[in-house]
Amino acid sequence: MADNGKQHAPHRGDMTGAKALWATLANHGISTVFGYPGGAIMPVYDALTFYPEVRHVLTRHEQGAAHAAEGWAKATGEIGVCMATSGPGATNLVTGLADAMLDSVPLLAITGNVASHLMGTDAFQEADITGITLPITKHNYVVRDVEELPLIVAEAIRIARSGRPGPVLVDIPKDIQLAAFHGEIPAPHARPEAPAPSPESVERALELLRGAKKPVIMAGGGSLDASAEITALARAWDIPVITTLMGLGAFPSSDPLWLGMPGMHGSVAANRAISEADVLLGIGLRFDDRVTGRVSGFAPNAAIIHVELDAAEIGKIIRTHVPVRGDAKQAAQLLAEGAQPTPRPEWKAQIEDWKSRTVTPETYGAGYAVKAVVDRLRPDDILSSDVGQHQMLAAQLARFEKPRRWINSGGLGTMGFGLPAAIGAGMAEPGVRSVVIAGDGGFQMTAQELATLKMYDVRNVKICIINNSFLGMVRQWQELFHEKRYSEVWLGDSNPDFIKLAGAYDVPGYRATTAEELPAAIDAWLSDPKSALLEVVVPHEHGVFPMVPAGAALYEMIETEPVRSPDLSAQMQDAAEEASEA
Amino acid sequence: MTDTRDHLLSILVRDEPRVLTRITALFGRRGYNIRSLSVGSTEHPGVSRMTIVVSGDRGVVEQAIRQLEKLHDVVRIIDHSLEKYVDRELVLVKVAITPESRVEVRQIAEDFRSRIVDVGRHALTFEVTGDEGKITAFIEQMRPFGILETMRTGRIALTRGSNADIPTHVYHEGETQALQPTLEVQPREERARHVPNLF
């Protein structure tokens, strides 16, 4: 880590609210905080100089701080911490908090606020951040008494990590940061044990599984920490496993039982298996609409067993026949113990047939490039993605042998997530390569975080930009559902020279524009001792398939890219040029 | 959305700023319709009690309850449709009167055990308490005379019997400290559930 001029003051002196905050964070083992200072949080940043055991990472935008904290949390399973000042600083965290809420990421956000007596007066840089973040946090607090500050922070950390994890925000008025603190710094709360599933529910689930002729297991983001148990469960019963976008890595991709990802851009095998299954065992998931497609057509023949910690998710979208409320780890273990594998040769043969319908991108394009990159990854590498076509391609084509190696914005679909998340993950695990695949659109939403890479001399972040000069996913929808009216999705004329942009931050850049150039460019990029950027320029018009159109059932999926008329490329180019001229 | 009807929920919450917003925002965001809402303090310092009438089918109400249970400020939820309860509403009704109708209006009010709380030259204001049926009946009886204004408090309810809705174990050993706006919070799993145990 570069010395950024931090003054290490050994004497901590009189305790203030701000110092109590850092002492509490340090007591909780928080080693890194991503943030950005400002007027209303200055006492906290001043007190930071007395706490060298906590590293503060200065991002270039508060949104970057929030996503970096998310990347940290998703890679490690531990809580991520971000920090911002009042008003605009706090509102810049909002996207990251919403993202963490939808993806159940344990996150602690600390915001400064104007002094207590100014709150509610529309003071300079005042925003009602607890009001604003009410629906996108698990809980939030305004600290009104300095003596409560450490207790609130400890409690916030407990809430963020317990049960179904999520973001918690603590808003601290400036006078509270400055006030004298006389209390004790609390020890961390013990992590509460997840509730065990009831024996009755497990027994009913076992009964269903025993009678199943076409069973399938579907594992979501809530199953990542139960990966070993789920693997044992699936092998014991010999049941194929589908992992959702958030659950990728919960089951090893190399296992013959793995069917891929379900849903809108899911694999043929996963979507067909769901549509044909007679018993579907869902573990740690919430049946997002991108997974289910049209709900009435989801698993139409299946009895649903739903293992889930959050009672509110059971029966929310999909009618559940056997709810198993509790810890995924314990439930999977109990279900594995009751295993009675029965041979199901027809079901297996059917699944093998579907699996053979995997689409491998053969011609040079976004899919080809993503595959070339992900094939080069090692099992330990962390792969992050931004949001768009490249994300779905990476999810389809990457292979994960273990959990917490895949980091992306699932529920909120936040463009700009990729780079800061990869930085956060890379800082959490400095010995591991943190690779991010982004599109030319999303990358530019948080490209300023290249400066964070430079400042902290992070050496393990590898950025790959799949550049098709379009907002590719929107373009794909416009092609399919809006008669190719490419409205406001052409970026090509205004894109920067990404290599030069990276170079401006001392990040070395590599470029490939053809299939022939690609292998050497990837090698040079990955073997660069520094963090580096690879731009892969691909044809404009490639889509992501298979695809289930919005509102369709999973069995109505389009398996392969529709055949285009020969002049389609030209048409698209014309349309794009017209759009950019207009 | 079959079997749409009103459900009466009592929600015990920590008495902290913004709790009402948290609860109503949850109903608003998820599209549950609040028909009536009343809030007041309880016999325990730091705990407030909300009575919410929400309309929807059984599934909607169960989902609403489970979402509410996730809120950190919610101590306990009672779905009154699952057991016997008493409920009341207070209504002020201002009824137009004429010299000819005055006696008859007063007689009806007396039949309903209603009290006159204000006397005007051309109107009487009555206070009526009772369950929904009684209040509806009272208003229907008065309607022919001309109802000038009404104000209803919203329904409130308590479970019948001698059990208190806030069990003592919610409080740890000490009396009220757990639900004071201090930060020692009962783990959610230990909170008594009054919703059907599906799990």
Side-chain angles (χ1 to χ4, degrees):
Chain A
M1 195 182 118
D3 186 353
N4 53 354
K6 192 186 274 186
Q7 299 290 312
H8 296 327
H11 175 58
R12 297 181 180 190
D14 303 324
M15 202 68 150
T16 58
K19 283 184 180 171
L21 168 67
W22 289 112
T24 307
L25 292 177
N27 240 14
H28 279 75
I30 306 293
S31 63
T32 303
V33 172
F34 300 90
Y36 205 99
I41 199 161
M42 273 169 58
V44 167
Y45 275 84
D46 182 51
L48 169 66
T49 59
F50 294 88
Y51 289 84
E53 63 265 45
V54 185
R55 167 176 62 163
H56 179 271
V57 175
L58 178 67
T59 57
R60 286 303 178 277
H61 189 288
E62 291 86 350
Q63 186 183 352
H67 293 326
E70 282 188 277
W72 177 288
K74 286 189 176 195
T76 60
E78 294 303 321
I79 190 165
V81 184
C82 57
M83 185 171 279
T85 189
S86 64
T91 56
N92 280 346
L93 290 179
V94 165
T95 305
L97 291 170
D99 194 278
M101 187 71 178
L102 280 183
D103 285 352
S104 309
V105 182
L107 199 71
L108 172 66
I110 306 281
T111 49
N113 211 330
V114 299
S116 303
H117 73 276
L118 292 172
M119 284 177 84
T121 66
D122 307 322
F124 176 66
Q125 290 198 327
E126 188 198 353
D128 174 15
I129 195 62
T130 39
I132 290 168
T133 59
L134 203 110
I136 53 164
T137 49
K138 250 183 115 175
H139 194 64
N140 60 25
Y141 296 89
V142 180
V143 182
R144 295 176 188 280
D145 176 351
V146 67
E147 298 301 335
E148 284 189 346
L149 194 158
L151 294 170
I152 287 178
V153 171
E155 178 71 9
I157 291 172
R158 190 188 71 79
I159 293 174
R161 298 196 308 183
S162 63
R164 177 178 173 185
V168 179
L169 181 137
V170 179
D171 193 34
I172 313 176
K174 193 169 181 177
D175 55 319
I176 302 286
Q177 300 168 34
L178 290 165
F181 172 78
H182 306 288
E184 295 283 307
I185 301 300
H189 289 268
R191 200 179 288 234
E193 276 186 32
S198 76
E200 296 78 22
S201 65
V202 171
E203 190 43 51
R204 286 176 64 198
L206 285 172
E207 256 170 58
L208 265 183
L209 287 172
R210 280 183 204 122
K213 292 188 172 59
K214 299 176 176 180
V216 63
I217 295 170
M218 198 158 115
S223 72
L224 290 177
D225 292 330
S227 171
E229 289 77 9
I230 287 170
T231 306
L233 161 71
R235 287 177 182 160
W237 284 89
D238 196 24
I239 296 176
V241 180
I242 294 162
T243 44
T244 70
L245 178 71
M246 300 307 297
L248 288 172
F251 187 77
S253 303
S254 59
D255 194 295
L257 288 172
W258 187 63
L259 302 188
M261 175 174 80
M264 180 170 278
H265 292 291
S267 68
V268 174
N271 284 347
R272 299 281 164 201
I274 290 169
S275 303
E276 289 284 316
D278 62 352
V279 174
L280 187 147
L281 167 58
I283 306 178
L285 43 77
R286 59 187 182 86
F287 295 107
D288 181 86
D289 56 275
R290 285 295 194 265
V291 162
T292 60
R294 192 175 72 240
V295 166
S296 61
F298 178 79
N301 310 313
I304 310 275
I305 306 166
H306 192 181
V307 177
E308 171 59 51
L309 194 58
D310 182 352
E313 293 302 337
I314 296 181
K316 187 182 85 175
I317 307 286
I318 299 288
R319 198 175 140 241
T320 305
H321 301 78
V322 178
V324 183
R325 198 219 162 174
D327 179 40
K329 228 176 155 85
Q330 295 181 47
Q333 203 166 351
L334 291 168
L335 292 172
E337 280 165 14
Q340 287 181 9
T342 43
R344 306 180 194 92
E346 283 175 31
W347 183 230
K348 292 215 109 177
Q350 175 71 81
I351 280 179
E352 284 312 311
D353 176 48
W354 287 327
K355 277 173 78 174
S356 68
R357 277 146 75 174
T358 305
V359 188
T360 312
E362 311 230 318
T363 51
Y364 182 74
Y368 186 96
V370 168
K371 184 154 177 27
V373 170
V374 298
D375 280 353
R376 217 60 71 89
L377 297 184
R378 301 179 294 228
D380 273 339
D381 289 349
I382 298 169
L383 177 63
S384 302
S385 85
D386 211 86
V387 166
Q389 288 182 314
H390 62 276
Q391 174 193 24
M392 291 298 118
L393 289 165
Q396 288 175 345
L397 297 167
R399 297 291 173 259
F400 299 96
E401 292 306 309
K402 48 187 187 177
R404 303 208 173 278
R405 301 294 91 177
W406 166 241
I407 294 174
N408 79 134
S409 167
L412 198 66
T414 306
M415 285 176 73
F417 174 86
L419 176 61
I423 293 173
M427 286 184 150
E429 299 198 27
V432 164
R433 265 198 320 221
S434 178
V435 178
V436 52
I437 295 184
D440 49 321
F443 178 77
Q444 291 182 71
M445 287 201 174
T446 49
Q448 70 278 19
E449 299 307 336
L450 287 168
T452 311
L453 275 185
K454 178 179 178 181
M455 181 165 179
Y456 296 94
D457 199 15
V458 183
R459 288 168 179 268
N460 60 340
V461 175
K462 301 289 181 183
I463 306 154
C464 172
I465 297 177
I466 305 292
N467 181 358
N468 64 357
S469 306
F470 265 118
L471 298 179
M473 192 59 98
V474 183
R475 188 210 56 77
Q476 177 171 341
W477 282 47
Q478 289 173 341
E479 178 185 344
L480 293 169
F481 312 118
H482 296 276
E483 295 166 332
K484 298 173 194 157
R485 287 186 293 275
Y486 291 153
S487 178
E488 303 296 328
V489 287
W490 175 249
L491 302 177
D493 298 332
S494 53
N495 271 343
D497 179 329
F498 287 106
I499 310 283
K500 278 192 193 163
L501 179 68
Y505 293 100
D506 287 344
V507 173
Y510 302 87
R511 182 181 282 128
T513 53
T514 62
E516 290 69 37
E517 289 170 14
L518 192 57
I522 292 175
D523 282 342
W525 166 62
L526 286 179
S527 57
D528 194 301
K530 295 184 69 175
S531 287
L533 180 143
L534 169 69
E535 179 193 11
V536 188
V537 180
V538 296
H540 301 317
E541 71 272 27
H542 275 251
V544 186
F545 291 90
M547 178 182 190
V548 178
L554 295 185
Y555 50 76
E556 292 163 335
M557 75 191 304
I558 307 165
E559 289 191 17
T560 51
E561 185 134 18
V563 178
R564 292 191 167 83
S565 58
D567 60 343
L568 187 68
S569 289
Q571 276 179 31
M572 284 197 287
Q573 195 64 55
D574 290 347
E577 275 159 19
E578 268 172 42
S580 64
E581 279 161 22
Chain B
M1 291 278 277
T2 52
D3 188 29
T4 296
R5 60 191 190 95
D6 287 352
H7 295 260
L8 201 56
L9 303 179
S10 280
I11 306 171
L12 294 155
V13 296
R14 280 134 71 88
D15 182 16
E16 283 184 27
R18 235 194 265 282
V19 169
L20 180 62
T21 315
R22 256 180 230 287
I23 304 277
T24 52
L26 188 149
F27 277 81
R29 183 173 97 70
R30 297 198 179 262
Y32 314 136
N33 188 24
I34 296 179
R35 299 244 319 178
S36 121
L37 165 69
S38 42
V39 190
S41 55
T42 67
E43 68 282 14
H44 294 289
V47 183
S48 294
R49 185 169 179 131
M50 299 182 184
T51 311
I52 292 188
V53 180
V54 56
S55 55
D57 62 16
R58 190 69 231 155
V60 165
V61 174
E62 273 179 14
Q63 178 61 213
I65 290 172
R66 289 184 199 167
Q67 294 292 348
L68 286 167
E69 283 196 314
K70 294 204 290 183
L71 295 181
H72 184 66
D73 291 318
V74 172
V75 176
R76 185 143 190 257
I77 302 168
I78 299 126
D79 181 352
H80 290 291
S81 66
L82 299 176
E83 47 196 279
K84 293 200 170 97
Y85 63 94
V86 282
D87 74 309
R88 288 291 180 269
E89 189 168 6
L90 168 66
V91 192
L92 296 176
V93 186
K94 194 182 286 178
V95 183
I97 48 161
T98 60
E100 296 75 38
S101 70
R102 173 185 290 267
V103 173
E104 196 182 345
V105 166
R106 292 183 77 121
Q107 184 57 50
I108 292 169
E110 211 164 286
D111 294 345
F112 278 87
R113 295 193 188 122
S114 163
R115 293 202 313 146
I116 295 172
V117 290
D118 186 49
V119 180
R121 276 167 66 87
H122 305 293
L124 293 174
T125 303
F126 297 98
E127 168 198 312
V128 198
T129 58
D131 61 19
E132 206 171 27
K134 177 180 171 185
I135 286 163
T136 308
F138 180 81
I139 289 173
E140 286 313 308
Q141 287 296 314
M142 291 300 183
R143 198 179 292 284
F145 303 101
I147 291 175
L148 301 174
E149 271 187 297
T150 62
M151 178 60 212
R152 313 173 70 138
T153 58
R155 290 163 77 184
I156 55 170
L158 281 182
T159 314
R160 282 189 188 274
S162 39
N163 291 340
D165 279 331
I166 312 178
T168 45
H169 75 253
V170 172
Y171 291 87
H172 298 285
E173 317 76 55
E175 268 294 296
T176 54
Q177 127 236 11
L179 294 171
Q180 291 288 4
T182 65
L183 297 145
E184 206 46 53
V185 178
Q186 190 72 10
R188 184 160 301 275
E189 290 69 36
E190 287 173 32
R191 293 177 197 166
R193 290 169 59 92
H194 244 256
V195 292
N197 187 9
L198 295 169
F199 314 107

